PDB file of all heavy atoms in Angstrom:
ATOM      1  N   GLY A 203      43.752 -35.333 -65.115  1.00 82.00           N
ATOM      2  CA  GLY A 203      44.417 -34.691 -66.253  1.00 82.00           C
ATOM      3  C   GLY A 203      43.521 -34.490 -67.440  1.00 82.00           C
ATOM      4  O   GLY A 203      42.336 -34.889 -67.444  1.00 82.00           O
ATOM      5  N   PHE A 204      44.063 -33.881 -68.489  1.00 72.00           N
ATOM      6  CA  PHE A 204      43.269 -33.578 -69.671  1.00 72.00           C
ATOM      7  C   PHE A 204      42.846 -34.833 -70.451  1.00 72.00           C
ATOM      8  O   PHE A 204      41.893 -34.799 -71.199  1.00 72.00           O
ATOM      9  CB  PHE A 204      44.082 -32.687 -70.626  1.00 72.00           C
ATOM     10  CG  PHE A 204      44.147 -31.267 -70.157  1.00 72.00           C
ATOM     11  CD1 PHE A 204      45.354 -30.705 -69.780  1.00 72.00           C
ATOM     12  CD2 PHE A 204      43.015 -30.491 -70.081  1.00 72.00           C
ATOM     13  CE1 PHE A 204      45.440 -29.410 -69.347  1.00 72.00           C
ATOM     14  CE2 PHE A 204      43.080 -29.179 -69.672  1.00 72.00           C
ATOM     15  CZ  PHE A 204      44.280 -28.640 -69.272  1.00 72.00           C
ATOM     16  N   GLY A 205      43.536 -35.940 -70.296  1.00 63.00           N
ATOM     17  CA  GLY A 205      43.216 -37.119 -71.075  1.00 63.00           C
ATOM     18  C   GLY A 205      42.023 -37.883 -70.558  1.00 63.00           C
ATOM     19  O   GLY A 205      41.520 -38.788 -71.222  1.00 63.00           O
ATOM     20  N   ALA A 206      41.492 -37.526 -69.399  1.00 57.00           N
ATOM     21  CA  ALA A 206      40.363 -38.250 -68.789  1.00 57.00           C
ATOM     22  C   ALA A 206      39.048 -37.632 -69.222  1.00 57.00           C
ATOM     23  O   ALA A 206      38.929 -36.448 -69.460  1.00 57.00           O
ATOM     24  CB  ALA A 206      40.460 -38.245 -67.257  1.00 57.00           C
ATOM     25  N   ALA A 207      38.041 -38.502 -69.304  1.00 43.00           N
ATOM     26  CA  ALA A 207      36.699 -38.033 -69.748  1.00 43.00           C
ATOM     27  C   ALA A 207      36.085 -37.055 -68.764  1.00 43.00           C
ATOM     28  O   ALA A 207      35.309 -36.193 -69.108  1.00 43.00           O
ATOM     29  CB  ALA A 207      35.765 -39.239 -69.915  1.00 43.00           C
ATOM     30  N   SER A 208      36.487 -37.161 -67.462  1.00 44.00           N
ATOM     31  CA  SER A 208      35.893 -36.315 -66.417  1.00 44.00           C
ATOM     32  C   SER A 208      36.270 -34.860 -66.585  1.00 44.00           C
ATOM     33  O   SER A 208      35.708 -33.978 -65.942  1.00 44.00           O
ATOM     34  CB  SER A 208      36.294 -36.812 -65.043  1.00 44.00           C
ATOM     35  OG  SER A 208      37.701 -36.764 -64.918  1.00 44.00           O
ATOM     36  N   THR A 209      37.291 -34.565 -67.402  1.00 43.00           N
ATOM     37  CA  THR A 209      37.733 -33.187 -67.571  1.00 43.00           C
ATOM     38  C   THR A 209      37.014 -32.513 -68.735  1.00 43.00           C
ATOM     39  O   THR A 209      37.312 -31.384 -69.063  1.00 43.00           O
ATOM     40  CB  THR A 209      39.256 -33.118 -67.821  1.00 43.00           C
ATOM     41  OG1 THR A 209      39.539 -33.843 -69.034  1.00 43.00           O
ATOM     42  CG2 THR A 209      40.034 -33.697 -66.672  1.00 43.00           C
ATOM     43  N   SER A 210      36.063 -33.178 -69.375  1.00 46.00           N
ATOM     44  CA  SER A 210      35.356 -32.563 -70.516  1.00 46.00           C
ATOM     45  C   SER A 210      34.615 -31.329 -70.014  1.00 46.00           C
ATOM     46  O   SER A 210      33.989 -31.300 -68.974  1.00 46.00           O
ATOM     47  CB  SER A 210      34.355 -33.545 -71.083  1.00 46.00           C
ATOM     48  OG  SER A 210      33.413 -33.930 -70.137  1.00 46.00           O
ATOM     49  N   GLY A 211      34.689 -30.234 -70.792  1.00 47.00           N
ATOM     50  CA  GLY A 211      34.038 -29.000 -70.472  1.00 47.00           C
ATOM     51  C   GLY A 211      34.881 -27.985 -69.751  1.00 47.00           C
ATOM     52  O   GLY A 211      34.473 -26.885 -69.474  1.00 47.00           O
ATOM     53  N   THR A 212      36.184 -28.334 -69.484  1.00 49.00           N
ATOM     54  CA  THR A 212      37.040 -27.371 -68.767  1.00 49.00           C
ATOM     55  C   THR A 212      37.452 -26.209 -69.648  1.00 49.00           C
ATOM     56  O   THR A 212      37.923 -25.206 -69.154  1.00 49.00           O
ATOM     57  CB  THR A 212      38.316 -28.110 -68.268  1.00 49.00           C
ATOM     58  OG1 THR A 212      38.993 -28.683 -69.400  1.00 49.00           O
ATOM     59  CG2 THR A 212      37.976 -29.216 -67.285  1.00 49.00           C
ATOM     60  N   GLY A 213      37.269 -26.329 -70.990  1.00 62.00           N
ATOM     61  CA  GLY A 213      37.786 -25.309 -71.875  1.00 62.00           C
ATOM     62  C   GLY A 213      37.056 -23.982 -71.783  1.00 62.00           C
ATOM     63  O   GLY A 213      37.620 -22.964 -72.128  1.00 62.00           O
TER      64      GLY A 213
END
Side-chain angles (χ1 to χ4, degrees):
F204 284 115
S208 60
T209 61
S210 60
T212 59

